[in-house]
Coordinates of all heavy atoms in Angstrom, one line a residue:
S1362 N 17.8 -6.8 -4.1 CA 16.7 -6.1 -3.5 C 16.2 -6.9 -2.3 O 16.3 -8.1 -2.2 CB 15.6 -5.8 -4.4 OG 15.1 -6.9 -5.0
L1363 N 15.5 -6.2 -1.4 CA 14.9 -6.8 -0.2 C 13.8 -7.7 -0.5 O 12.9 -7.3 -1.3 CB 14.4 -5.7 0.7 CG 13.9 -6.1 2.1 CD1 15.0 -6.8 2.9 CD2 13.3 -4.9 2.8
K1364 N 13.8 -9.0 0.0 CA 12.8 -10.0 -0.3 C 12.1 -10.5 0.9 O 11.0 -10.9 0.8 CB 13.4 -11.1 -1.1 CG 14.0 -10.7 -2.4 CD 14.3 -12.0 -3.3 CE 14.9 -11.6 -4.6 NZ 14.0 -11.1 -5.5
N1365 N 12.7 -10.5 2.1 CA 12.2 -11.0 3.3 C 12.2 -10.1 4.4 O 13.2 -9.4 4.6 CB 12.9 -12.3 3.7 CG 13.0 -13.3 2.6 OD1 12.0 -13.7 2.1 ND2 14.2 -13.7 2.2
L1366 N 11.1 -10.1 5.2 CA 11.2 -9.4 6.5 C 11.0 -10.5 7.5 O 10.0 -11.2 7.6 CB 10.0 -8.4 6.6 CG 10.1 -7.1 5.8 CD1 8.9 -6.2 6.0 CD2 11.4 -6.4 6.0
K1367 N 12.1 -10.7 8.3 CA 12.1 -11.8 9.2 C 11.3 -11.4 10.5 O 11.0 -10.3 10.8 CB 13.5 -12.2 9.5 CG 14.3 -12.7 8.4 CD 15.6 -13.2 8.7 CE 16.3 -13.5 7.4 NZ 16.6 -14.8 7.2
K1368 N 11.1 -12.4 11.3 CA 10.4 -12.3 12.6 C 10.9 -11.1 13.4 O 12.1 -11.0 13.6 CB 10.5 -13.6 13.4 CG 9.7 -13.6 14.7 CD 9.9 -14.9 15.5 CE 9.1 -14.8 16.8 NZ 9.2 -16.1 17.5
E1369 N 10.0 -10.2 13.8 CA 10.3 -9.1 14.7 C 11.4 -8.2 14.0 O 12.2 -7.5 14.7 CB 10.8 -9.6 16.0 CG 9.7 -10.4 16.8 CD 10.1 -10.8 18.2 OE1 11.3 -10.6 18.6 OE2 9.3 -11.4 18.8
S1370 N 11.4 -8.1 12.7 CA 12.3 -7.2 12.0 C 12.4 -5.8 12.5 O 13.5 -5.2 12.7 CB 11.9 -7.1 10.5 OG 12.1 -8.3 9.9
F1371 N 11.2 -5.2 12.9 CA 11.2 -3.9 13.4 C 10.6 -3.8 14.8 O 10.1 -2.8 15.2 CB 10.4 -2.9 12.4 CG 11.1 -2.9 11.1 CD1 10.5 -3.7 10.0 CD2 12.2 -2.2 10.8 CE1 11.1 -3.6 8.8 CE2 12.8 -2.2 9.5 CZ 12.2 -2.9 8.5
A1372 N 10.6 -4.9 15.5 CA 10.0 -5.0 16.8 C 10.7 -4.0 17.8 O 11.9 -3.8 17.8 CB 10.1 -6.4 17.4
N1373 N 9.9 -3.3 18.6 CA 10.3 -2.4 19.6 C 11.1 -1.2 19.1 O 12.0 -0.7 19.7 CB 11.1 -3.1 20.7 CG 10.2 -4.2 21.3 OD1 9.1 -3.9 21.7 ND2 10.7 -5.4 21.4
S1374 N 10.9 -0.8 17.8 CA 11.6 0.3 17.2 C 10.8 1.5 17.7 O 9.9 2.1 17.0 CB 11.6 0.2 15.7 OG 12.3 -0.9 15.3
K1375 N 11.2 2.1 18.8 CA 10.4 3.2 19.5 C 10.3 4.5 18.6 O 9.4 5.2 18.7 CB 11.0 3.5 20.8 CG 11.1 2.3 21.8 CD 9.7 1.9 22.2 CE 9.8 0.7 23.2 NZ 8.7 -0.2 23.2
G1376 N 11.4 4.7 17.9 CA 11.4 6.0 17.1 C 10.9 5.9 15.7 O 10.9 6.9 14.9
L1377 N 10.5 4.7 15.3 CA 10.0 4.4 13.9 C 8.7 5.0 13.7 O 7.7 4.6 14.3 CB 10.0 2.9 13.6 CG 9.7 2.5 12.2 CD1 10.7 3.0 11.2 CD2 9.6 1.0 12.2
K1378 N 8.5 6.0 12.8 CA 7.2 6.7 12.6 C 6.7 6.3 11.2 O 5.5 6.1 11.0 CB 7.4 8.2 12.6 CG 7.6 8.7 14.1 CD 7.5 10.2 14.1 CE 7.7 10.6 15.5 NZ 6.5 10.9 16.2
N1379 N 7.5 6.1 10.2 CA 7.1 5.8 8.8 C 8.1 4.7 8.3 O 9.3 4.8 8.6 CB 7.2 7.0 7.9 CG 6.3 8.1 8.5 OD1 5.2 8.0 8.6 ND2 6.9 9.3 8.8
I1380 N 7.6 3.9 7.4 CA 8.4 2.9 6.7 C 7.8 2.6 5.4 O 6.6 2.6 5.2 CB 8.6 1.6 7.6 CG1 9.6 0.7 7.0 CG2 7.2 0.9 7.8 CD1 10.0 -0.4 7.9
T1381 N 8.7 2.3 4.4 CA 8.2 2.0 3.1 C 8.7 0.5 2.9 O 9.8 0.1 3.1 CB 8.9 2.8 2.0 OG1 8.5 4.2 2.2 CG2 8.5 2.4 0.6
I1382 N 7.7 -0.4 2.6 CA 7.9 -1.8 2.2 C 7.9 -1.9 0.7 O 6.8 -1.7 0.1 CB 7.0 -2.7 2.9 CG1 7.0 -2.5 4.4 CG2 7.3 -4.1 2.6 CD1 6.0 -3.3 5.2
P1383 N 9.0 -2.1 0.0 CA 9.0 -2.3 -1.4 C 8.2 -3.5 -1.9 O 8.1 -4.5 -1.2 CB 10.5 -2.3 -1.8 CG 11.1 -2.8 -0.6 CD 10.3 -2.4 0.6
S1384 N 7.8 -3.5 -3.2 CA 7.1 -4.6 -3.7 C 7.9 -5.8 -3.9 O 7.4 -6.9 -4.1 CB 6.4 -4.2 -5.0 OG 7.4 -3.8 -5.9
S1385 N 9.2 -5.7 -3.7 CA 10.1 -6.8 -3.8 C 10.0 -7.7 -2.7 O 10.3 -8.9 -2.7 CB 11.6 -6.4 -4.0 OG 12.0 -5.6 -2.9
V1386 N 9.4 -7.3 -1.5 CA 9.3 -8.1 -0.3 C 8.1 -9.0 -0.5 O 7.0 -8.6 -0.8 CB 9.1 -7.2 0.9 CG1 8.8 -8.1 2.1 CG2 10.2 -6.3 1.1
T1387 N 8.4 -10.3 -0.4 CA 7.3 -11.4 -0.6 C 7.2 -12.3 0.5 O 6.3 -13.2 0.5 CB 7.7 -12.2 -1.9 OG1 9.0 -12.8 -1.8 CG2 7.6 -11.3 -3.2
S1388 N 8.0 -12.2 1.5 CA 8.0 -13.1 2.7 C 8.0 -12.3 4.0 O 8.8 -11.3 4.1 CB 9.1 -14.0 2.7 OG 9.1 -14.8 3.8
F1389 N 7.1 -12.6 4.9 CA 6.9 -11.9 6.1 C 6.9 -12.7 7.3 O 6.1 -13.7 7.4 CB 5.5 -11.1 6.1 CG 5.5 -10.2 4.9 CD1 5.0 -10.6 3.7 CD2 5.8 -8.8 5.0 CE1 5.0 -9.8 2.6 CE2 5.8 -8.0 4.0 CZ 5.3 -8.4 2.7
G1390 N 7.8 -12.4 8.3 CA 7.8 -13.2 9.5 C 6.7 -12.7 10.5 O 6.0 -11.8 10.2
E1391 N 6.7 -13.3 11.7 CA 5.7 -12.9 12.7 C 6.2 -11.6 13.5 O 7.3 -11.4 13.6 CB 5.6 -14.1 13.7 CG 5.0 -15.3 13.2 CD 5.0 -16.4 14.2 OE1 4.9 -16.1 15.4 OE2 5.1 -17.6 13.8
D1392 N 5.2 -10.9 13.9 CA 5.4 -9.8 14.8 C 6.4 -8.8 14.3 O 7.2 -8.2 15.0 CB 5.9 -10.3 16.2 CG 4.8 -11.2 16.9 OD1 3.6 -11.0 16.7 OD2 5.2 -12.2 17.5
I1393 N 6.3 -8.5 13.0 CA 7.3 -7.6 12.4 C 7.3 -6.2 13.1 O 8.4 -5.6 13.3 CB 6.9 -7.3 10.9 CG1 7.2 -8.6 10.2 CG2 7.8 -6.3 10.3 CD1 6.7 -8.6 8.7
F1394 N 6.2 -5.6 13.5 CA 6.1 -4.4 14.1 C 5.8 -4.4 15.6 O 5.4 -3.4 16.2 CB 5.1 -3.4 13.4 CG 5.4 -3.3 11.9 CD1 4.5 -3.6 11.0 CD2 6.5 -2.6 11.5 CE1 4.8 -3.4 9.6 CE2 6.8 -2.4 10.2 CZ 5.9 -2.8 9.2
K1395 N 5.9 -5.5 16.2 CA 5.5 -5.7 17.7 C 6.3 -4.7 18.5 O 7.5 -4.5 18.4 CB 5.9 -7.1 18.1 CG 5.6 -7.4 19.5 CD 6.1 -8.8 19.8 CE 5.9 -9.1 21.3 NZ 6.3 -10.5 21.6
G1396 N 5.5 -3.9 19.3 CA 6.1 -3.0 20.2 C 6.5 -1.7 19.6 O 7.0 -0.8 20.2
S1397 N 6.3 -1.5 18.3 CA 6.7 -0.3 17.6 C 5.5 0.7 17.6 O 4.8 0.9 16.6 CB 7.1 -0.6 16.1 OG 8.2 -1.4 16.1
N1398 N 5.2 1.2 18.8 CA 3.9 1.9 19.1 C 4.0 3.3 18.4 O 2.9 3.9 18.3 CB 3.8 2.0 20.6 CG 3.6 0.7 21.2 OD1 3.0 -0.2 20.5 ND2 4.0 0.5 22.4
S1399 N 5.1 3.8 18.0 CA 5.1 5.1 17.4 C 5.0 5.1 15.9 O 4.9 6.1 15.2 CB 6.4 5.9 17.7 OG 7.5 5.2 17.3
L1400 N 4.9 3.9 15.3 CA 4.7 3.7 13.8 C 3.4 4.3 13.4 O 2.3 3.9 13.9 CB 4.8 2.3 13.5 CG 4.7 2.0 12.0 CD1 5.8 2.6 11.2 CD2 4.7 0.4 11.8
E1401 N 3.4 5.3 12.6 CA 2.2 6.0 12.1 C 1.7 5.5 10.7 O 0.5 5.3 10.4 CB 2.4 7.4 12.1 CG 2.7 8.0 13.4 CD 3.1 9.5 13.4 OE1 3.2 10.1 12.3 OE2 3.3 10.0 14.5
T1402 N 2.7 5.4 9.8 CA 2.4 5.1 8.4 C 3.3 4.1 7.7 O 4.5 4.1 7.9 CB 2.5 6.4 7.5 OG1 1.7 7.5 8.2 CG2 1.9 6.2 6.1
V1403 N 2.7 3.2 7.0 CA 3.4 2.2 6.2 C 3.1 2.4 4.8 O 1.9 2.5 4.4 CB 3.1 0.7 6.6 CG1 3.8 -0.3 5.7 CG2 3.3 0.4 8.1
Y1404 N 4.1 2.7 3.9 CA 4.0 2.9 2.5 C 4.3 1.7 1.8 O 5.3 1.0 2.0 CB 4.9 4.1 2.1 CG 4.6 5.4 2.7 CD1 5.3 5.8 3.9 CD2 3.7 6.3 2.2 CE1 5.1 7.0 4.5 CE2 3.4 7.5 2.8 CZ 4.1 7.8 4.0 OH 3.9 9.0 4.6
T1405 N 3.4 1.3 0.8 CA 3.7 0.2 -0.1 C 2.9 0.3 -1.3 O 2.1 1.3 -1.5 CB 3.3 -1.1 0.7 OG1 3.9 -2.2 0.0 CG2 1.8 -1.3 0.8
S1406 N 3.1 -0.6 -2.3 CA 2.3 -0.6 -3.5 C 1.0 -1.4 -3.4 O 1.0 -2.5 -2.8 CB 3.2 -1.2 -4.6 OG 4.4 -0.5 -4.8
K1407 N 0.0 -0.8 -3.9 CA -1.3 -1.4 -3.9 C -1.3 -2.8 -4.7 O -0.7 -2.8 -5.7 CB -2.4 -0.5 -4.5 CG -3.8 -1.0 -4.3 CD -4.8 0.1 -4.4 CE -6.2 -0.4 -4.0 NZ -6.4 -0.7 -2.6
G1408 N -1.8 -3.8 -4.1 CA -1.8 -5.1 -4.7 C -0.6 -5.9 -4.5 O -0.5 -7.1 -4.9
S1409 N 0.4 -5.3 -3.8 CA 1.7 -6.1 -3.6 C 1.5 -7.1 -2.5 O 0.5 -7.1 -1.7 CB 2.8 -5.1 -3.2 OG 2.5 -4.5 -2.0
K1410 N 2.4 -8.0 -2.3 CA 2.4 -9.0 -1.2 C 2.4 -8.2 0.1 O 1.7 -8.7 1.1 CB 3.6 -9.9 -1.2 CG 3.6 -10.8 -2.5 CD 2.9 -12.1 -2.2 CE 3.2 -13.0 -3.4 NZ 2.5 -14.2 -3.3
A1411 N 3.1 -7.1 0.2 CA 3.1 -6.3 1.5 C 1.7 -5.8 1.7 O 1.2 -5.8 2.9 CB 4.1 -5.2 1.4
D1412 N 1.0 -5.3 0.7 CA -0.4 -4.8 0.9 C -1.3 -5.9 1.4 O -2.1 -5.7 2.3 CB -0.9 -4.3 -0.5 CG -2.3 -3.7 -0.4 OD1 -2.7 -3.2 0.7 OD2 -2.9 -3.6 -1.5
L1413 N -1.2 -7.0 0.8 CA -2.0 -8.2 1.2 C -1.7 -8.5 2.7 O -2.6 -8.9 3.5 CB -1.8 -9.4 0.3 CG -2.2 -9.1 -1.1 CD1 -1.9 -10.3 -2.0 CD2 -3.7 -8.8 -1.3
W1414 N -0.4 -8.6 3.0 CA 0.0 -8.9 4.4 C -0.6 -7.8 5.4 O -1.1 -8.2 6.4 CB 1.5 -9.0 4.5 CG 2.0 -9.5 5.8 CD1 2.2 -10.8 6.2 CD2 2.3 -8.6 7.0 NE1 2.6 -10.8 7.6 CE2 2.6 -9.5 8.1 CE3 2.3 -7.3 7.2 CZ2 3.0 -9.0 9.3 CZ3 2.6 -6.8 8.5 CH2 3.0 -7.6 9.5
L1415 N -0.5 -6.6 5.0 CA -0.9 -5.5 5.9 C -2.4 -5.6 6.2 O -2.9 -5.3 7.2 CB -0.5 -4.2 5.4 CG 1.0 -3.9 5.4 CD1 1.4 -2.7 4.5 CD2 1.5 -3.5 6.9
E1416 N -3.2 -6.0 5.1 CA -4.6 -6.1 5.3 C -5.0 -7.2 6.3 O -5.9 -7.1 7.0 CB -5.3 -6.5 3.9 CG -5.4 -5.3 3.0 CD -6.0 -5.7 1.6 OE1 -6.6 -6.9 1.5 OE2 -6.0 -4.9 0.7
K1417 N -4.2 -8.3 6.3 CA -4.4 -9.4 7.2 C -3.9 -9.2 8.6 O -4.2 -9.9 9.5 CB -3.8 -10.7 6.6 CG -4.5 -11.2 5.4 CD -3.9 -12.4 4.9 CE -4.5 -12.8 3.6 NZ -3.9 -14.0 3.0
H1418 N -3.0 -8.2 8.8 CA -2.3 -7.8 10.0 C -2.5 -6.4 10.4 O -1.4 -5.7 10.3 CB -0.9 -8.3 10.0 CG -0.6 -9.7 9.7 ND1 -0.6 -10.2 8.4 CD2 -0.5 -10.8 10.5 CE1 -0.4 -11.5 8.5 NE2 -0.4 -11.9 9.8
P1419 N -3.7 -5.9 10.5 CA -3.8 -4.5 10.8 C -3.2 -4.0 12.1 O -3.0 -4.9 13.1 CB -5.4 -4.3 10.9 CG -5.9 -5.6 11.3 CD -4.9 -6.6 10.7
G1420 N -2.8 -2.8 12.2 CA -2.2 -2.2 13.4 C -2.7 -0.9 13.6 O -3.7 -0.4 13.0
V1421 N -2.1 -0.1 14.5 CA -2.5 1.3 14.8 C -2.0 2.2 13.7 O -2.4 3.4 13.7 CB -1.9 1.7 16.1 CG1 -2.6 0.9 17.2 CG2 -0.4 1.7 16.2
Y1422 N -1.1 1.8 12.8 CA -0.6 2.6 11.7 C -1.6 2.6 10.5 O -2.5 1.8 10.4 CB 0.7 1.9 11.2 CG 0.6 0.4 10.9 CD1 0.1 -0.1 9.8 CD2 1.0 -0.4 11.9 CE1 0.0 -1.4 9.6 CE2 1.0 -1.8 11.7 CZ 0.4 -2.3 10.5 OH 0.3 -3.6 10.4
S1423 N -1.5 3.6 9.7 CA -2.3 3.7 8.5 C -1.4 3.2 7.3 O -0.1 3.2 7.4 CB -2.7 5.1 8.2 OG -1.6 5.9 8.0
V1424 N -2.0 2.8 6.2 CA -1.3 2.3 5.0 C -1.6 3.2 4.0 O -2.7 3.7 3.7 CB -1.8 0.9 4.6 CG1 -1.1 0.4 3.3 CG2 -1.6 -0.1 5.7
E1425 N -0.5 3.8 3.3 CA -0.6 4.6 2.1 C 0.1 4.0 1.0 O 1.1 3.3 1.1 CB -0.1 6.0 2.5 CG -0.9 6.7 3.5 CD -0.6 8.2 3.6 OE1 -0.1 8.8 2.7 OE2 -0.9 8.7 4.7
Y1426 N -0.5 4.2 -0.2 CA 0.0 3.6 -1.4 C 1.0 4.5 -2.2 O 0.7 5.7 -2.3 CB -1.1 3.1 -2.3 CG -2.0 2.1 -1.5 CD1 -3.2 2.4 -1.1 CD2 -1.4 0.8 -1.2 CE1 -4.0 1.4 -0.4 CE2 -2.2 -0.2 -0.5 CZ -3.4 0.2 -0.1 OH -4.1 -0.7 0.6
L1427 N 2.0 3.9 -2.7 CA 3.0 4.6 -3.5 C 2.5 4.7 -5.0 O 1.8 3.8 -5.5 CB 4.3 3.8 -3.6 CG 4.9 3.6 -2.2 CD1 6.1 2.6 -2.3 CD2 5.4 4.9 -1.6
G1428 N 2.9 5.7 -5.6 CA 2.7 5.9 -7.0 C 1.3 5.9 -7.4 O 0.8 5.7 -8.4

């Protein structure tokens, strides 16, 4: 399963509107969504490492919780 999102993993992804970050992801690089201005929603599990990372790195996207 996916464990790491490396630096600029989704940078400049112009068509990216939604993404789900599974709870298996525990490591996050810098500027993951840099330049991804069309990103609207990030889905993740409440209390996951992704949730905590998203709280510390807010963007123009909204965060919605799975399950």
Side-chain angles (χ1 to χ4, degrees):
S1362 62
L1363 183 64
K1364 296 190 183 289
N1365 304 303
L1366 291 179
K1367 297 186 187 248
K1368 181 178 179 179
E1369 298 181 356
S1370 294
F1371 301 101
N1373 301 309
S1374 297
K1375 303 293 184 208
L1377 183 65
K1378 290 189 181 262
N1379 304 297
I1380 190 166
T1381 300
I1382 302 177
S1384 58
S1385 61
V1386 176
T1387 57
S1388 177
F1389 302 85
E1391 296 177 27
D1392 300 324
I1393 293 172
F1394 300 120
K1395 180 181 177 181
S1397 297
N1398 299 328
S1399 61
L1400 182 60
E1401 296 173 0
T1402 309
V1403 178
Y1404 297 94
T1405 195
S1406 298
K1407 188 156 186 72
S1409 66
K1410 297 268 185 183
D1412 182 24
L1413 299 174
W1414 185 89
L1415 290 163
E1416 285 180 10
K1417 292 179 182 176
H1418 301 86
V1421 295
Y1422 49 81
S1423 65
V1424 176
E1425 294 195 21
Y1426 297 109
L1427 301 168

